[in-house]
Amino acid sequence: GCYPSLGHLIQNQYSARYDVHQGSCSGILCARIMDYHCDESKEYQQRIAKALGNENANAARLVRDLVATLPAVNNEHDQVGVKDEMLKEFSEWMFENALSRYNALSPKDFESAEDIYGMMSKPLADL
């Protein structure tokens, strides 16, 4: 599994579904996706943390904090008009239509639409 491929796929689908700029899709989803499979991709995430200047830190948090400093890049669903019910519906669609693709790319399998929704909706403060 490979985060860049998984992240790119999910972010492209989100962008197409909600007409959201790719930069904001990354800002909204990148740290959440990383957090979902952090135990399974620990070695890679340690390398990311080191590249971001703190090899002992949580990589998803570092990415979250970096995104927060970027001008004109959103990091929350509501900033781009995506409401909770829309996200739940999208998670169901993702589970029903792309599960095998996600699991082929993810270090940690998704077993339900709730797994996908939980990943996408996790509060950034909880990373």
Side-chain angles (χ1 to χ4, degrees), residues 6 35-38 40 102-103 105-110 115:
L6 175 68
D35 182 73
Y36 179 75
H37 59 72
C38 66
E40 293 78 6
Y102 298 151
N103 285 344
L105 299 172
S106 179
K108 178 181 177 182
D109 281 353
F110 297 97
D115 284 349

Side-chain angles (χ1 to χ4, degrees), residues 75-116:
N75 60 6
E76 291 293 356
H77 300 287
D78 62 351
Q79 294 172 320
V80 295
V82 177
K83 306 298 180 210
D84 191 60
E85 196 57 41
M86 296 164 69
L87 201 55
K88 286 179 183 176
E89 179 184 306
F90 185 46
S91 298
E92 288 287 338
W93 178 88
M94 294 166 75
F95 182 76
E96 293 169 5
N97 293 284
L99 181 66
S100 62
R101 290 176 70 194
Y102 298 151
N103 285 344
L105 299 172
S106 179
K108 178 181 177 182
D109 281 353
F110 297 97
E111 297 180 8
S112 67
E114 267 304 306
D115 284 349
I116 297 169

Side-chain angles (χ1 to χ4, degrees), residues 1 19 31 39 41 46 48 66 72 80 88-89 104 112 117-118 123 126:
D19 194 27
D39 291 336
S41 60
Q46 287 173 332
I48 292 167
L66 175 64
V80 295
K88 286 179 183 176
E89 179 184 306
S112 67
Y117 173 74
D126 293 348

Side-chain angles (χ1 to χ4, degrees), residues 45-59:
Q45 293 207 26
Q46 287 173 332
R47 291 169 56 189
I48 292 167
K50 185 176 181 179
L52 292 174
N54 187 347
E55 63 185 295
N56 297 317
N58 177 295

